[in-house]
């Protein structure tokens, strides 16, 4: 019994807690860059560590020691606090992820709502960051981020609602255990929902074709334009954490969480392994999408979401309800 | 909020694109007056890179000027030297040998291929299609390697010289060029297929930057910008220079009048240039490659024009009997396309320009601002504030 | 969407990036006729100074030594246009394939 507090501290901070996820975030950035480069017949990060695996960490450290500028007319309180809140938000949300079994480090009834809220709140933070910078590029980027939120948030929620109906639970642990005893959600009528989820996730993560709030060729870096140094490093870290979070959520909701063929006695080792491997799979899909599309325009994005994504996600809910009823 | 922020909500504000901006490869300032995402006014200032080349040309001999003129533009250097040598030859009423003329066409078309591929890559990059951009620029290496093997340098070729060309074609190079052309043709067809089928590319470029034929003529657009509005004007066909009179080719046009048709026109021109190069290799006349001309040029004047990759390029030379020009004047294609650019960037009626369209429209004329910077002027409906 | 197959094919192909300068330096191949650092054949030069007159960037300075007038090339100003080779009546200027012509010191960029 005396080990209990130590175990929970270990779980929260080391594995599968913050340290694990931060490490995974850097690893994901490397994987993302490497895979993207491979598709373009480039080499990607190469020299820092074996095959450049330490490059994201090197970039992080480099940004950390760079000069940190705050624009003169920026709203300093908001401007300075946004990166920290972003990072904290993502670290909190990520503890919900069931890496080791049915439930994450934190688990309660209705925790899926917290996950959705975290994603929406991230967008609000993006808006605050852009708006408080008082730069024209940032303002336009912030405006675009909110417009984009109007487009992708509803399909994202509806696709998650589909999952909840299918598994009959609003708790991530419940959804995962349902998938453990039944089919994986992706094998059922949720395939459509999975696709919608990935498309919306691409928008949430601001990646091509939906990297509109920071379209480099149009508005320089969008809402991040004015950030530099330490704050930029934190923002980049929290965006990598968001990437990890969304892939983990996709795995938990659709790909059966950490479950897979198990060998007795090796569960503690195999479950996280399966979980991470499935996350790589999701990442591979996300990178492929990033590689094969051009960026769309904001009005095209919003009308695409309302014209196709939302009707499709409603249809998907309908199918799920019928499927459950049968 | 901090006190210095203007609390009143401003509906209109300026977005400067440039002088330094990721969408621009060269310094230029495009001031956009925007209302939300919509552009309501545009001002253009291209005079950031004035280098005084025309004046510098008056202090150099014709031989030295060749290399100065070559550096007006890096990408269309072949077109510039070709125009210059034609001017000097024209004042002397002499001509380059037939073989040299054919070789000039060959190198000109090779440069056109590499310029169009460069542009295609930039256009793909402007709409955020980086994978396509990487593939195109990788294939551009094929044409650059051929250029290097043939002329001795990847970009600034120093190939055309007064009275002829510098190097002759060897059988190895011929074989290399043939092989390179086969590869490029295959890739150009692949690009056309991607551009025609990729939905995001179509939605970003179709009906963007519309330039109706009447306006194109009225605003004196040139080159692929003009031909994409369905007007068949090409200096190679209308006023054949070098060996173009004897080389058959089609003037590519497209009726779309938008950025999408400008992409198609340029891809088709790559294929057409490949065919021209193949024809030149087949029908290369024998004979000398240079006709040595005296260093002093008799008094006179001459205008020469060449279809550069970006459009019609015009040079004017006035000589006074010495070995230096008395006056040299350059009109690059981009300057002719600037009025059309402003026209395309201004929203009118139902034609609305978004901020996201600006880089696409800008790229669609294939601007080259540093060869254009010969004037100090603001163009557009909306000046510097 | 046809680009997706191309993208996946690229995953299994050798990458196009040349790892210059950290990779194999020898793999960088230059074609014959490349204009790199020039070589002057001092024996056959007759000191006519034509190359100096024609150099568009003033990279050639004529110095007088025991043999008479001989050109010195300052590579920091040279733009490798090839005009000096063209102008030389004795054809005593040629170009090597040496292209790594960066240095901390102007002195090391002289070719005599
Ligand atoms: S190559 Fe051109 S710039 Fe260099 S020394 Fe010779 S003439 Fe001058
Ligand atoms: S032109 Fe040739 S011969 Fe005359 S000085 Fe120069 S290198 Fe010597």
């Amino acid at each position: 019994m005396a080990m209990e507090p130590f175990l929970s501290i270990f779980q929260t901070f080391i594995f599968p807690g913050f340290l694990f996820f931060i490490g995974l975030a850097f690893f994901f950035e490397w994987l993302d860059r490497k895979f993207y480069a491979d598709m373009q017949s480039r080499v990607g990060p190469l020299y820092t560590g074996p095959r450049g695996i330490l490059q994201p960490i090197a970039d992080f450290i480099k940004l950390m020691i760079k000069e940190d500028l705050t624009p003169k007319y920026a709203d300093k309180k908001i401007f300075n606090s946004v990166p920290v809140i972003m990072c904290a938000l993502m670290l909190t949300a990520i503890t919900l992820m069931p890496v080791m079994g049915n439930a994450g480090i934190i688990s309660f009834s209705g925790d899926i709502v917290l996950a959705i809220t975290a994603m929406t709140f991230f967008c609000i933070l993006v808006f605050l960051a852009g708006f408080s910078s008082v730069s024209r590029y940032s303002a336009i980027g912030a405006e675009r981020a909110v417009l984009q939120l109007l487009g992708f948030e509803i399909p994202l929620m509806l696709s998650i609602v589909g999952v909840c109906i299918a598994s009959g639970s609003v708790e991530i642990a419940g959804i995962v255990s349902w998938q453990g005893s039944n089919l994986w959600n992706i094998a059922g009528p949720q395939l459509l929902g999975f696709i919608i989820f990935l498309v919306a996730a691409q928008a949430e993560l601001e990646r091509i074709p939906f990297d509109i709030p920071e379209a480099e060729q149009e508005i320089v870096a969008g809402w991040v334009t004015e950030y530099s140094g330490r704050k930029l490093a934190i923002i980049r870290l929290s965006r990598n954490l968001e990437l990890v979070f969304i892939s983990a959520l996709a795995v938990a909701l659709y790909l059966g969480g950490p479950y897979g063929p198990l060998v007795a006695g090796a569960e503690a080792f195999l479950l996280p392994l399966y979980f991470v491997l499935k996350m790589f799979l999701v990442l591979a899909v996300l990178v492929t999408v990033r590689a094969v599309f051009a960026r769309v325009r904001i009005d095209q994005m919003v009308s695409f979401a309302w014209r196709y994504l939302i009707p499709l996600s409603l249809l998907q809910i309908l199918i799920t309800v019928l499927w459950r009823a049968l | 909020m901090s006190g210095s922020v203007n609390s009143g909500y401003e509906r209109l504000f300026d977005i400067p694109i440039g002088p330094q901006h990721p969408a621009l490869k060269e310094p230029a300032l495009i001031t956009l007056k925007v209302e939300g995402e919509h552009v309501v006014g545009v001002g253009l200032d291209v005079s950031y890179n004035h280098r005084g080349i025309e004046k510098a040309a008056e202090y150099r001999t014709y031989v030295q000027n060749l290399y100065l003129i070559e550096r007006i533009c890096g990408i269309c250097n072949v077109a510039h030297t070709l125009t210059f040598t034609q001017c000097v030859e024209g004042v002397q009423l002499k001509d380059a040998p037939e073989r040299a003329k054919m070789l000039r066409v060959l190198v000109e078309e090779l440069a056109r291929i590499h310029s169009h591929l460069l542009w295609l890559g930039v256009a793909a990059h402007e709409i955020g299609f980086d994978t396509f951009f990487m593939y195109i620029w990788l294939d551009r290496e094929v044409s650059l390697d051929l250029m290097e093997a043939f002329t001795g340098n990847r970009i600034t070729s120093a190939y055309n010289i007064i009275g002829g060309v510098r190097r002759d074609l060897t059988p190895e190079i011929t074989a290399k060029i043939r092989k390179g052309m086969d590869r490029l043709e295959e890739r150009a067809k692949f690009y056309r297929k991607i551009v025609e089928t990729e939905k995001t590319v179509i939605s970003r470029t179709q009906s963007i930057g519309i330039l109706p034929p009447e306006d194109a003529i009225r605003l004196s657009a040139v080159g692929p910008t003009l031909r994409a509005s369905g007007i068949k004007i090409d200096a190679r066909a209308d006023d054949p220079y070098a060996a173009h009179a004897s080389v058959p080719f089609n003037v590519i046009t497209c009726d779309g009048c938008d950025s999408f048709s400008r992409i198609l026109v340029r891809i088709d021109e790559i294929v057409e240039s490949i065919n021209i190069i193949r024809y030149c290799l087949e029908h290369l006349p024998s004979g000398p490659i240079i006709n040595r001309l005296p260093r002093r040029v008799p008094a006179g004047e001459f205008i020469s024009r060449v279809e550069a990759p970006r459009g019609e390029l015009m040079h004017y030379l006035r000589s006074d009997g010495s070995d230096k020009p008395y006056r040299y004047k350059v009109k690059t294609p981009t300057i002719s396309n600037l009025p059309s650019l402003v026209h395309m960037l201004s929203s009118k009626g139902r034609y609305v320009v978004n901020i996201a369209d600006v880089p696409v429209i800008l790229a669609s004329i294939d601007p080259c601002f540093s060869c254009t910077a010969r004037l100090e002027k603001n163009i557009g409906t909306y000046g510097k504030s | 969407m046809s680009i997706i197959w191309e993208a996946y094919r690229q995953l299994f192909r050798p990458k196009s990036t040349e790892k210059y300068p950290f990779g194999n330096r020898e793999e960088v191949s230059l074609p014959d006729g490349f204009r790199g650092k020039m070589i002057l054949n001092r024996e056959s030069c007759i000191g006519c100074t034509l190359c100096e007159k024609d150099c568009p960037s003033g990279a050639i300075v004529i110095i007088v030594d025991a043999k008479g007038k001989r050109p010195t090339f300052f590579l920091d100003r040279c733009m490798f246009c090839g005009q000096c080779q063209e102008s030389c009546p004795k054809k005593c200027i040629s170009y090597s394939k040496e292209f790594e012509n960066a240095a901390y010191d102007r002195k090391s960029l002289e070719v005599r």
Side-chain angles (χ1 to χ4, degrees), chain B residues 62 87-94 162 293-302 317-327:
Chain B
Y62 287 102
C87 275
V88 179
E89 288 157 13
V91 174
Q92 307 201 17
L93 300 173
K94 296 273 171 39
I162 296 165
L293 297 179
R295 281 165 180 260
R296 282 185 183 276
V297 172
E301 54 183 349
F302 199 84
L317 166 69
R318 188 185 180 102
S319 56
D320 59 355
S322 69
D323 61 351
K324 290 171 184 160
Y326 176 72
R327 175 80 173 96

Side-chain angles (χ1 to χ4, degrees), chain B residues 249-267:
Chain B
F249 81 106
N250 303 324
V251 178
I252 308 287
T253 57
C254 188
D255 294 329
C257 308
D258 54 8
S259 303
F260 184 63
S261 41
R262 277 169 220 137
I263 298 182
L264 294 187
V265 162
R266 285 189 175 100
I267 296 183

Side-chain angles (χ1 to χ4, degrees), chain A residues 36 39-40 42 73 75 136-137 140 143-144 208 216-218 220 291-298 300, chain B residues 1 4 14-16 21-23 37 125-128 131 134-135 198 200 203-204 208 354-357 359:
Chain A
Y36 191 52
M39 283 190 166
Q40 299 179 340
R42 296 186 288 120
Y73 295 118
D75 189 324
R136 292 155 195 195
Y137 301 120
I140 298 235
E143 183 192 6
R144 285 178 174 194
I208 291 169
E216 182 203 344
Q217 287 80 9
E218 295 151 24
V220 190
V292 301
F293 286 111
R295 180 191 309 122
V296 295
R297 227 166 43 208
I298 183 72
Q300 288 164 348
Chain B
M1 300 290 278
S4 23
D14 292 353
I15 293 241
H21 190 279
E37 281 279 326
H125 180 62
E126 299 289 7
I127 55 173
T131 311
M134 294 288 169
Y135 292 164
E198 178 58 55
T200 43
S203 64
R204 280 308 297 280
I208 302 298
N354 290 300
I355 296 176
D357 297 335

Side-chain angles (χ1 to χ4, degrees), chain C residues 40 45-51 71 88-89 92-93:
Chain C
L40 172 69
C45 173
I46 52 170
C48 67
T49 74
L50 269 180
C51 53
C88 177
C92 45
I93 300 171

